[in-house]
Amino acid sequence: MSQLLNQLYTTRWYISKLIDDLEKGNAFDKKSGFTAEIKKELNTAVTLMEGFAPAKDTKKPLLWYPNAVIPNFRQKTKGKYKKNYPKGIIVHWIWAPQVGGKENAEFWSKWASEQGYTFFTLGNDGTVVQSFPLDEWGSHAGESYWPNIGSSVSEHFVGIEIVCEGKIQKFADGKFGNERKTDTGKITRTYVDQSQVRTINNNTDNIAKGYYQMYTPQQEEALIKLILWLKQNNPDVFNLDLVLGHDEVAGPSGLGLVNSNYKNTWRKTDPGGSLSMSMPQFRALLKDKYSKL
């Protein structure tokens, strides 16, 4: 830096002297080499400026989402991401009643810590719960695969679980919901209001046909904001093309490439029709929004 400044001062002196002579009407001898000396000094200054590299920004990516609720417990992680940051995400659903807001999101985050899983949790009101640092990965995707990534997708992608029933069934009485078996073996039903049901008539893109409880508008808005922040926080590592559905990495377009059992079926169907668009459409939306930030 000091060398560049000294050169600029020298160049300024030569140019000032030339201007002074011209203003006084003094003639100068072209053969004296004065103008050639000015050109030389200018070229030297330009060369130094082109080679001058400003100090690199040493700001490190944040490890905690500023808008997240940070509980007093931590989910278990298994190691560091290769670049200390996830390359992308996997969108999930919890397969649980879509109630409770912040309290329910914290409940399922705590449940995950007890089961050995690691993921963001989004409540029905858009609350985001984070209980692990972003430079560490943990289990959330199970048996999965993605081209150029391989089978251990949890080691590369962070999980985002959204509190939602996800794929549901239509009962004989015309109502929608899910059935679960209690610890005592009793079957219980959770019902979903028909206004929250989305019907997918045919397999398309990443989505398996069937009935789904939709994510709330608050959940989708919070999901988009979180993903855009993850990209802004470390744009050189996080890739919007690697914002994937669990139904992609554990379905025909992912796992089906290496496991013939899933060439035409899904091991996991989240987010499926719970998201208001297909995952390719969702990635296009994210890229458009990111380009306008």
Side-chain angles (χ1 to χ4, degrees), residues 196-238:
Q196 296 178 292
V197 177
R198 184 180 179 203
T199 302
I200 303 297
N201 294 314
N202 299 292
N203 296 340
T204 176
D205 287 327
N206 60 291
I207 308 174
K209 66 180 180 179
Y211 304 106
Y212 295 84
Q213 181 180 38
M214 296 182 289
Y215 294 150
T216 67
Q218 295 91 334
Q219 286 175 326
E220 285 209 9
E221 181 181 359
L223 177 64
I224 291 169
K225 285 183 178 179
L226 172 56
I227 294 170
L228 293 178
W229 178 83
L230 286 167
K231 175 65 176 175
Q232 283 184 301
N233 190 42
N234 198 342
D236 293 334
V237 176
F238 193 87

mmCIF file of all heavy atoms in Angstrom, residues 196-238:
data_model
loop_
_atom_site.group_PDB
_atom_site.id
_atom_site.type_symbol
_atom_site.label_atom_id
_atom_site.label_comp_id
_atom_site.label_asym_id
_atom_site.label_seq_id
_atom_site.Cartn_x
_atom_site.Cartn_y
_atom_site.Cartn_z
ATOM 1 N N GLN A 196 -57.632 -27.103 4.670
ATOM 2 C CA GLN A 196 -56.175 -27.230 4.725
ATOM 3 C C GLN A 196 -55.656 -28.374 3.848
ATOM 4 O O GLN A 196 -54.461 -28.642 3.847
ATOM 5 C CB GLN A 196 -55.731 -27.486 6.166
ATOM 6 C CG GLN A 196 -56.029 -26.356 7.134
ATOM 7 C CD GLN A 196 -55.586 -26.732 8.534
ATOM 8 O OE1 GLN A 196 -56.148 -27.615 9.180
ATOM 9 N NE2 GLN A 196 -54.540 -26.071 9.005
ATOM 10 N N VAL A 197 -56.565 -29.032 3.122
ATOM 11 C CA VAL A 197 -56.192 -30.215 2.347
ATOM 12 C C VAL A 197 -55.892 -29.842 0.899
ATOM 13 O O VAL A 197 -56.646 -29.112 0.261
ATOM 14 C CB VAL A 197 -57.316 -31.281 2.384
ATOM 15 C CG1 VAL A 197 -56.944 -32.479 1.506
ATOM 16 C CG2 VAL A 197 -57.587 -31.715 3.817
ATOM 17 N N ARG A 198 -54.802 -30.373 0.398
ATOM 18 C CA ARG A 198 -54.446 -30.216 -1.014
ATOM 19 C C ARG A 198 -54.424 -31.606 -1.648
ATOM 20 O O ARG A 198 -53.790 -32.521 -1.128
ATOM 21 C CB ARG A 198 -53.079 -29.552 -1.169
ATOM 22 C CG ARG A 198 -52.695 -29.259 -2.624
ATOM 23 C CD ARG A 198 -51.329 -28.607 -2.703
ATOM 24 N NE ARG A 198 -50.945 -28.335 -4.080
ATOM 25 C CZ ARG A 198 -49.688 -28.185 -4.489
ATOM 26 N NH1 ARG A 198 -48.688 -28.298 -3.625
ATOM 27 N NH2 ARG A 198 -49.424 -27.932 -5.752
ATOM 28 N N THR A 199 -55.111 -31.737 -2.769
ATOM 29 C CA THR A 199 -55.190 -33.031 -3.454
ATOM 30 C C THR A 199 -54.287 -33.030 -4.679
ATOM 31 O O THR A 199 -54.360 -32.130 -5.525
ATOM 32 C CB THR A 199 -56.633 -33.321 -3.902
ATOM 33 O OG1 THR A 199 -57.490 -33.299 -2.749
ATOM 34 C CG2 THR A 199 -56.725 -34.686 -4.575
ATOM 35 N N ILE A 200 -53.422 -34.033 -4.771
ATOM 36 C CA ILE A 200 -52.549 -34.222 -5.927
ATOM 37 C C ILE A 200 -53.036 -35.481 -6.643
ATOM 38 O O ILE A 200 -52.956 -36.582 -6.109
ATOM 39 C CB ILE A 200 -51.077 -34.380 -5.501
ATOM 40 C CG1 ILE A 200 -50.614 -33.166 -4.684
ATOM 41 C CG2 ILE A 200 -50.195 -34.583 -6.723
ATOM 42 C CD1 ILE A 200 -50.624 -31.857 -5.430
ATOM 43 N N ASN A 201 -53.561 -35.303 -7.845
ATOM 44 C CA ASN A 201 -54.191 -36.426 -8.556
ATOM 45 C C ASN A 201 -53.201 -37.334 -9.265
ATOM 46 O O ASN A 201 -53.500 -38.520 -9.484
ATOM 47 C CB ASN A 201 -55.211 -35.891 -9.558
ATOM 48 C CG ASN A 201 -56.393 -35.219 -8.874
ATOM 49 O OD1 ASN A 201 -56.939 -35.756 -7.913
ATOM 50 N ND2 ASN A 201 -56.784 -34.043 -9.346
ATOM 51 N N ASN A 202 -52.051 -36.794 -9.637
ATOM 52 C CA ASN A 202 -51.057 -37.598 -10.366
ATOM 53 C C ASN A 202 -49.652 -37.280 -9.867
ATOM 54 O O ASN A 202 -49.378 -36.155 -9.438
ATOM 55 C CB ASN A 202 -51.126 -37.309 -11.871
ATOM 56 C CG ASN A 202 -52.475 -37.644 -12.470
ATOM 57 O OD1 ASN A 202 -52.853 -38.813 -12.557
ATOM 58 N ND2 ASN A 202 -53.224 -36.623 -12.877
ATOM 59 N N ASN A 203 -48.764 -38.273 -9.950
ATOM 60 C CA ASN A 203 -47.365 -38.024 -9.623
ATOM 61 C C ASN A 203 -46.818 -36.962 -10.571
ATOM 62 O O ASN A 203 -46.996 -37.052 -11.792
ATOM 63 C CB ASN A 203 -46.536 -39.304 -9.771
ATOM 64 C CG ASN A 203 -46.958 -40.393 -8.801
ATOM 65 O OD1 ASN A 203 -47.585 -40.121 -7.784
ATOM 66 N ND2 ASN A 203 -46.607 -41.629 -9.123
ATOM 67 N N THR A 204 -46.169 -35.947 -10.013
ATOM 68 C CA THR A 204 -45.618 -34.899 -10.865
ATOM 69 C C THR A 204 -44.396 -34.287 -10.201
ATOM 70 O O THR A 204 -44.390 -34.038 -8.984
ATOM 71 C CB THR A 204 -46.666 -33.796 -11.137
ATOM 72 O OG1 THR A 204 -46.067 -32.752 -11.896
ATOM 73 C CG2 THR A 204 -47.215 -33.208 -9.859
ATOM 74 N N ASP A 205 -43.333 -34.060 -10.988
ATOM 75 C CA ASP A 205 -42.072 -33.547 -10.446
ATOM 76 C C ASP A 205 -41.665 -34.386 -9.238
ATOM 77 O O ASP A 205 -41.534 -35.578 -9.333
ATOM 78 C CB ASP A 205 -42.195 -32.062 -10.083
ATOM 79 C CG ASP A 205 -42.247 -31.165 -11.323
ATOM 80 O OD1 ASP A 205 -41.608 -31.518 -12.324
ATOM 81 O OD2 ASP A 205 -42.922 -30.130 -11.282
ATOM 82 N N ASN A 206 -41.523 -33.750 -8.080
ATOM 83 C CA ASN A 206 -41.123 -34.478 -6.869
ATOM 84 C C ASN A 206 -42.309 -35.005 -6.077
ATOM 85 O O ASN A 206 -42.134 -35.747 -5.110
ATOM 86 C CB ASN A 206 -40.325 -33.551 -5.949
ATOM 87 C CG ASN A 206 -41.136 -32.325 -5.513
ATOM 88 O OD1 ASN A 206 -41.431 -31.461 -6.340
ATOM 89 N ND2 ASN A 206 -41.480 -32.232 -4.244
ATOM 90 N N ILE A 207 -43.539 -34.652 -6.473
ATOM 91 C CA ILE A 207 -44.710 -34.884 -5.623
ATOM 92 C C ILE A 207 -45.429 -36.187 -5.956
ATOM 93 O O ILE A 207 -45.821 -36.422 -7.102
ATOM 94 C CB ILE A 207 -45.702 -33.706 -5.757
ATOM 95 C CG1 ILE A 207 -44.986 -32.373 -5.516
ATOM 96 C CG2 ILE A 207 -46.843 -33.864 -4.763
ATOM 97 C CD1 ILE A 207 -45.855 -31.158 -5.776
ATOM 98 N N ALA A 208 -45.625 -37.013 -4.939
ATOM 99 C CA ALA A 208 -46.400 -38.247 -5.091
ATOM 100 C C ALA A 208 -47.888 -37.920 -4.952
ATOM 101 O O ALA A 208 -48.274 -37.076 -4.137
ATOM 102 C CB ALA A 208 -45.983 -39.261 -4.034
ATOM 103 N N LYS A 209 -48.717 -38.566 -5.746
ATOM 104 C CA LYS A 209 -50.146 -38.300 -5.679
ATOM 105 C C LYS A 209 -50.697 -38.674 -4.307
ATOM 106 O O LYS A 209 -50.187 -39.556 -3.617
ATOM 107 C CB LYS A 209 -50.892 -39.058 -6.775
ATOM 108 C CG LYS A 209 -50.876 -40.575 -6.639
ATOM 109 C CD LYS A 209 -51.654 -41.204 -7.789
ATOM 110 C CE LYS A 209 -51.665 -42.732 -7.674
ATOM 111 N NZ LYS A 209 -52.432 -43.357 -8.782
ATOM 112 N N GLY A 210 -51.753 -37.971 -3.922
ATOM 113 C CA GLY A 210 -52.370 -38.236 -2.631
ATOM 114 C C GLY A 210 -52.928 -36.964 -2.020
ATOM 115 O O GLY A 210 -53.042 -35.924 -2.683
ATOM 116 N N TYR A 211 -53.247 -37.028 -0.745
ATOM 117 C CA TYR A 211 -53.797 -35.898 -0.004
ATOM 118 C C TYR A 211 -52.738 -35.378 0.972
ATOM 119 O O TYR A 211 -52.017 -36.157 1.606
ATOM 120 C CB TYR A 211 -55.042 -36.315 0.785
ATOM 121 C CG TYR A 211 -56.134 -36.927 -0.070
ATOM 122 C CD1 TYR A 211 -56.380 -38.305 -0.025
ATOM 123 C CD2 TYR A 211 -56.911 -36.143 -0.908
ATOM 124 C CE1 TYR A 211 -57.376 -38.873 -0.801
ATOM 125 C CE2 TYR A 211 -57.920 -36.696 -1.688
ATOM 126 C CZ TYR A 211 -58.143 -38.063 -1.629
ATOM 127 O OH TYR A 211 -59.128 -38.620 -2.397
ATOM 128 N N TYR A 212 -52.679 -34.048 1.102
ATOM 129 C CA TYR A 212 -51.671 -33.426 1.958
ATOM 130 C C TYR A 212 -52.285 -32.291 2.780
ATOM 131 O O TYR A 212 -53.138 -31.548 2.290
ATOM 132 C CB TYR A 212 -50.541 -32.820 1.110
ATOM 133 C CG TYR A 212 -49.725 -33.818 0.338
ATOM 134 C CD1 TYR A 212 -50.151 -34.295 -0.906
ATOM 135 C CD2 TYR A 212 -48.509 -34.287 0.830
ATOM 136 C CE1 TYR A 212 -49.400 -35.202 -1.638
ATOM 137 C CE2 TYR A 212 -47.743 -35.198 0.102
ATOM 138 C CZ TYR A 212 -48.192 -35.654 -1.122
ATOM 139 O OH TYR A 212 -47.440 -36.551 -1.835
ATOM 140 N N GLN A 213 -51.821 -32.168 4.012
ATOM 141 C CA GLN A 213 -52.117 -30.953 4.762
ATOM 142 C C GLN A 213 -51.108 -29.888 4.312
ATOM 143 O O GLN A 213 -49.902 -30.128 4.295
ATOM 144 C CB GLN A 213 -51.997 -31.157 6.272
ATOM 145 C CG GLN A 213 -52.335 -29.885 7.050
ATOM 146 C CD GLN A 213 -52.239 -30.045 8.566
ATOM 147 O OE1 GLN A 213 -51.351 -30.736 9.057
ATOM 148 N NE2 GLN A 213 -53.145 -29.412 9.289
ATOM 149 N N MET A 214 -51.605 -28.721 3.952
ATOM 150 C CA MET A 214 -50.742 -27.664 3.449
ATOM 151 C C MET A 214 -49.984 -26.979 4.583
ATOM 152 O O MET A 214 -50.505 -26.840 5.688
ATOM 153 C CB MET A 214 -51.567 -26.624 2.685
ATOM 154 C CG MET A 214 -52.244 -27.166 1.437
ATOM 155 S SD MET A 214 -53.173 -25.892 0.535
ATOM 156 C CE MET A 214 -54.554 -25.629 1.663
ATOM 157 N N TYR A 215 -48.756 -26.541 4.304
ATOM 158 C CA TYR A 215 -48.057 -25.676 5.231
ATOM 159 C C TYR A 215 -48.857 -24.387 5.369
ATOM 160 O O TYR A 215 -49.498 -23.931 4.421
ATOM 161 C CB TYR A 215 -46.665 -25.334 4.715
ATOM 162 C CG TYR A 215 -45.702 -26.502 4.617
ATOM 163 C CD1 TYR A 215 -44.697 -26.521 3.654
ATOM 164 C CD2 TYR A 215 -45.771 -27.575 5.494
ATOM 165 C CE1 TYR A 215 -43.795 -27.565 3.561
ATOM 166 C CE2 TYR A 215 -44.868 -28.629 5.413
ATOM 167 C CZ TYR A 215 -43.890 -28.626 4.432
ATOM 168 O OH TYR A 215 -43.014 -29.672 4.352
ATOM 169 N N THR A 216 -48.806 -23.771 6.534
ATOM 170 C CA THR A 216 -49.482 -22.490 6.695
ATOM 171 C C THR A 216 -48.721 -21.411 5.922
ATOM 172 O O THR A 216 -47.513 -21.556 5.663
ATOM 173 C CB THR A 216 -49.552 -22.080 8.178
ATOM 174 O OG1 THR A 216 -48.217 -21.811 8.653
ATOM 175 C CG2 THR A 216 -50.193 -23.171 9.024
ATOM 176 N N PRO A 217 -49.396 -20.316 5.561
ATOM 177 C CA PRO A 217 -48.688 -19.213 4.895
ATOM 178 C C PRO A 217 -47.512 -18.707 5.725
ATOM 179 O O PRO A 217 -46.457 -18.352 5.176
ATOM 180 C CB PRO A 217 -49.769 -18.139 4.742
ATOM 181 C CG PRO A 217 -51.049 -18.903 4.695
ATOM 182 C CD PRO A 217 -50.855 -20.060 5.639
ATOM 183 N N GLN A 218 -47.673 -18.706 7.048
ATOM 184 C CA GLN A 218 -46.583 -18.249 7.922
ATOM 185 C C GLN A 218 -45.381 -19.187 7.847
ATOM 186 O O GLN A 218 -44.228 -18.750 7.895
ATOM 187 C CB GLN A 218 -47.076 -18.159 9.372
ATOM 188 C CG GLN A 218 -48.153 -17.111 9.606
ATOM 189 C CD GLN A 218 -49.563 -17.674 9.454
ATOM 190 O OE1 GLN A 218 -49.784 -18.654 8.737
ATOM 191 N NE2 GLN A 218 -50.513 -17.066 10.150
ATOM 192 N N GLN A 219 -45.657 -20.485 7.722
ATOM 193 C CA GLN A 219 -44.560 -21.451 7.612
ATOM 194 C C GLN A 219 -43.810 -21.281 6.292
ATOM 195 O O GLN A 219 -42.575 -21.307 6.263
ATOM 196 C CB GLN A 219 -45.098 -22.875 7.739
ATOM 197 C CG GLN A 219 -45.484 -23.249 9.168
ATOM 198 C CD GLN A 219 -46.130 -24.620 9.264
ATOM 199 O OE1 GLN A 219 -46.850 -25.053 8.368
ATOM 200 N NE2 GLN A 219 -45.896 -25.308 10.372
ATOM 201 N N GLU A 220 -44.540 -21.097 5.210
ATOM 202 C CA GLU A 220 -43.861 -20.919 3.916
ATOM 203 C C GLU A 220 -43.053 -19.631 3.896
ATOM 204 O O GLU A 220 -41.932 -19.594 3.381
ATOM 205 C CB GLU A 220 -44.870 -20.945 2.765
ATOM 206 C CG GLU A 220 -45.368 -22.336 2.446
ATOM 207 C CD GLU A 220 -45.769 -22.518 0.982
ATOM 208 O OE1 GLU A 220 -45.506 -21.627 0.153
ATOM 209 O OE2 GLU A 220 -46.361 -23.566 0.678
ATOM 210 N N GLU A 221 -43.601 -18.565 4.449
ATOM 211 C CA GLU A 221 -42.879 -17.297 4.494
ATOM 212 C C GLU A 221 -41.608 -17.427 5.324
ATOM 213 O O GLU A 221 -40.533 -16.951 4.937
ATOM 214 C CB GLU A 221 -43.770 -16.199 5.073
ATOM 215 C CG GLU A 221 -43.102 -14.829 5.124
ATOM 216 C CD GLU A 221 -43.993 -13.755 5.723
ATOM 217 O OE1 GLU A 221 -45.150 -14.061 6.085
ATOM 218 O OE2 GLU A 221 -43.532 -12.602 5.834
ATOM 219 N N ALA A 222 -41.724 -18.093 6.483
ATOM 220 C CA ALA A 222 -40.562 -18.286 7.349
ATOM 221 C C ALA A 222 -39.524 -19.182 6.674
ATOM 222 O O ALA A 222 -38.307 -18.955 6.811
ATOM 223 C CB ALA A 222 -40.997 -18.903 8.680
ATOM 224 N N LEU A 223 -39.985 -20.195 5.948
ATOM 225 C CA LEU A 223 -39.082 -21.102 5.232
ATOM 226 C C LEU A 223 -38.278 -20.333 4.189
ATOM 227 O O LEU A 223 -37.054 -20.487 4.086
ATOM 228 C CB LEU A 223 -39.888 -22.218 4.568
ATOM 229 C CG LEU A 223 -39.109 -23.219 3.710
ATOM 230 C CD1 LEU A 223 -38.122 -24.004 4.558
ATOM 231 C CD2 LEU A 223 -40.074 -24.163 2.987
ATOM 232 N N ILE A 224 -38.942 -19.496 3.421
ATOM 233 C CA ILE A 224 -38.272 -18.710 2.379
ATOM 234 C C ILE A 224 -37.249 -17.761 2.999
ATOM 235 O O ILE A 224 -36.101 -17.661 2.546
ATOM 236 C CB ILE A 224 -39.304 -17.939 1.543
ATOM 237 C CG1 ILE A 224 -40.125 -18.910 0.689
ATOM 238 C CG2 ILE A 224 -38.628 -16.897 0.649
ATOM 239 C CD1 ILE A 224 -41.336 -18.289 0.025
ATOM 240 N N LYS A 225 -37.639 -17.061 4.058
ATOM 241 C CA LYS A 225 -36.732 -16.114 4.713
ATOM 242 C C LYS A 225 -35.497 -16.826 5.263
ATOM 243 O O LYS A 225 -34.372 -16.327 5.149
ATOM 244 C CB LYS A 225 -37.455 -15.383 5.837
ATOM 245 C CG LYS A 225 -38.428 -14.322 5.361
ATOM 246 C CD LYS A 225 -39.063 -13.595 6.539
ATOM 247 C CE LYS A 225 -40.008 -12.488 6.070
ATOM 248 N NZ LYS A 225 -40.645 -11.789 7.217
ATOM 249 N N LEU A 226 -35.701 -17.994 5.866
ATOM 250 C CA LEU A 226 -34.582 -18.749 6.425
ATOM 251 C C LEU A 226 -33.616 -19.176 5.325
ATOM 252 O O LEU A 226 -32.396 -19.013 5.455
ATOM 253 C CB LEU A 226 -35.101 -19.971 7.183
ATOM 254 C CG LEU A 226 -34.046 -20.978 7.673
ATOM 255 C CD1 LEU A 226 -33.008 -20.307 8.549
ATOM 256 C CD2 LEU A 226 -34.732 -22.133 8.421
ATOM 257 N N ILE A 227 -34.140 -19.687 4.220
ATOM 258 C CA ILE A 227 -33.277 -20.159 3.134
ATOM 259 C C ILE A 227 -32.501 -19.001 2.507
ATOM 260 O O ILE A 227 -31.296 -19.119 2.227
ATOM 261 C CB ILE A 227 -34.106 -20.904 2.067
ATOM 262 C CG1 ILE A 227 -34.695 -22.193 2.657
ATOM 263 C CG2 ILE A 227 -33.244 -21.236 0.847
ATOM 264 C CD1 ILE A 227 -35.707 -22.873 1.758
ATOM 265 N N LEU A 228 -33.164 -17.883 2.276
ATOM 266 C CA LEU A 228 -32.472 -16.724 1.695
ATOM 267 C C LEU A 228 -31.379 -16.220 2.639
ATOM 268 O O LEU A 228 -30.302 -15.810 2.189
ATOM 269 C CB LEU A 228 -33.474 -15.611 1.380
ATOM 270 C CG LEU A 228 -34.473 -15.912 0.266
ATOM 271 C CD1 LEU A 228 -35.439 -14.737 0.083
ATOM 272 C CD2 LEU A 228 -33.762 -16.206 -1.061
ATOM 273 N N TRP A 229 -31.653 -16.258 3.943
ATOM 274 C CA TRP A 229 -30.617 -15.863 4.905
ATOM 275 C C TRP A 229 -29.448 -16.836 4.860
ATOM 276 O O TRP A 229 -28.275 -16.417 4.909
ATOM 277 C CB TRP A 229 -31.189 -15.806 6.322
ATOM 278 C CG TRP A 229 -30.129 -15.448 7.322
ATOM 279 C CD1 TRP A 229 -29.679 -14.199 7.655
ATOM 280 C CD2 TRP A 229 -29.341 -16.369 8.096
ATOM 281 N NE1 TRP A 229 -28.680 -14.284 8.581
ATOM 282 C CE2 TRP A 229 -28.448 -15.594 8.878
ATOM 283 C CE3 TRP A 229 -29.319 -17.760 8.207
ATOM 284 C CZ2 TRP A 229 -27.533 -16.183 9.754
ATOM 285 C CZ3 TRP A 229 -28.406 -18.338 9.078
ATOM 286 C CH2 TRP A 229 -27.531 -17.556 9.838
ATOM 287 N N LEU A 230 -29.730 -18.148 4.787
ATOM 288 C CA LEU A 230 -28.656 -19.142 4.709
ATOM 289 C C LEU A 230 -27.760 -18.885 3.506
ATOM 290 O O LEU A 230 -26.535 -19.033 3.582
ATOM 291 C CB LEU A 230 -29.253 -20.552 4.621
ATOM 292 C CG LEU A 230 -29.863 -21.121 5.911
ATOM 293 C CD1 LEU A 230 -30.687 -22.365 5.616
ATOM 294 C CD2 LEU A 230 -28.780 -21.424 6.931
ATOM 295 N N LYS A 231 -28.356 -18.480 2.393
ATOM 296 C CA LYS A 231 -27.585 -18.152 1.188
ATOM 297 C C LYS A 231 -26.780 -16.877 1.394
ATOM 298 O O LYS A 231 -25.578 -16.836 1.083
ATOM 299 C CB LYS A 231 -28.539 -18.010 0.000
ATOM 300 C CG LYS A 231 -27.872 -17.541 -1.300
ATOM 301 C CD LYS A 231 -26.874 -18.547 -1.825
ATOM 302 C CE LYS A 231 -26.310 -18.087 -3.169
ATOM 303 N NZ LYS A 231 -25.232 -18.987 -3.655
ATOM 304 N N GLN A 232 -27.407 -15.824 1.902
ATOM 305 C CA GLN A 232 -26.705 -14.553 2.117
ATOM 306 C C GLN A 232 -25.575 -14.700 3.138
ATOM 307 O O GLN A 232 -24.527 -14.065 3.005
ATOM 308 C CB GLN A 232 -27.685 -13.494 2.619
ATOM 309 C CG GLN A 232 -28.584 -12.901 1.550
ATOM 310 C CD GLN A 232 -29.443 -11.787 2.116
ATOM 311 O OE1 GLN A 232 -30.217 -11.999 3.052
ATOM 312 N NE2 GLN A 232 -29.310 -10.603 1.555
ATOM 313 N N ASN A 233 -25.781 -15.527 4.128
ATOM 314 C CA ASN A 233 -24.817 -15.693 5.214
ATOM 315 C C ASN A 233 -23.523 -16.334 4.742
ATOM 316 O O ASN A 233 -22.456 -16.062 5.307
ATOM 317 C CB ASN A 233 -25.451 -16.545 6.321
ATOM 318 C CG ASN A 233 -24.618 -16.579 7.582
ATOM 319 O OD1 ASN A 233 -24.080 -15.566 8.022
ATOM 320 N ND2 ASN A 233 -24.509 -17.752 8.177
ATOM 321 N N ASN A 234 -23.585 -17.175 3.714
ATOM 322 C CA ASN A 234 -22.381 -17.811 3.169
ATOM 323 C C ASN A 234 -22.623 -18.162 1.701
ATOM 324 O O ASN A 234 -22.785 -19.331 1.345
ATOM 325 C CB ASN A 234 -22.022 -19.060 3.974
ATOM 326 C CG ASN A 234 -20.591 -19.514 3.743
ATOM 327 O OD1 ASN A 234 -19.954 -19.120 2.766
ATOM 328 N ND2 ASN A 234 -20.073 -20.342 4.636
ATOM 329 N N PRO A 235 -22.651 -17.144 0.818
ATOM 330 C CA PRO A 235 -23.020 -17.373 -0.584
ATOM 331 C C PRO A 235 -22.055 -18.255 -1.365
ATOM 332 O O PRO A 235 -22.442 -18.843 -2.373
ATOM 333 C CB PRO A 235 -23.062 -15.956 -1.169
ATOM 334 C CG PRO A 235 -22.187 -15.144 -0.269
ATOM 335 C CD PRO A 235 -22.367 -15.723 1.096
ATOM 336 N N ASP A 236 -20.802 -18.352 -0.907
ATOM 337 C CA ASP A 236 -19.828 -19.163 -1.640
ATOM 338 C C ASP A 236 -20.014 -20.663 -1.403
ATOM 339 O O ASP A 236 -19.504 -21.475 -2.174
ATOM 340 C CB ASP A 236 -18.405 -18.763 -1.242
ATOM 341 C CG ASP A 236 -18.052 -17.358 -1.695
ATOM 342 O OD1 ASP A 236 -18.647 -16.894 -2.680
ATOM 343 O OD2 ASP A 236 -17.198 -16.724 -1.049
ATOM 344 N N VAL A 237 -20.717 -21.020 -0.342
ATOM 345 C CA VAL A 237 -20.904 -22.441 -0.015
ATOM 346 C C VAL A 237 -22.347 -22.887 -0.260
ATOM 347 O O VAL A 237 -22.591 -23.927 -0.873
ATOM 348 C CB VAL A 237 -20.502 -22.717 1.456
ATOM 349 C CG1 VAL A 237 -20.788 -24.179 1.821
ATOM 350 C CG2 VAL A 237 -19.032 -22.405 1.667
ATOM 351 N N PHE A 238 -23.298 -22.115 0.233
ATOM 352 C CA PHE A 238 -24.706 -22.511 0.129
ATOM 353 C C PHE A 238 -25.200 -22.316 -1.308
ATOM 354 O O PHE A 238 -25.019 -21.260 -1.911
ATOM 355 C CB PHE A 238 -25.556 -21.680 1.088
ATOM 356 C CG PHE A 238 -26.949 -22.212 1.275
ATOM 357 C CD1 PHE A 238 -27.219 -23.166 2.239
ATOM 358 C CD2 PHE A 238 -27.986 -21.776 0.478
ATOM 359 C CE1 PHE A 238 -28.500 -23.664 2.414
ATOM 360 C CE2 PHE A 238 -29.271 -22.261 0.638
ATOM 361 C CZ PHE A 238 -29.529 -23.209 1.612
#
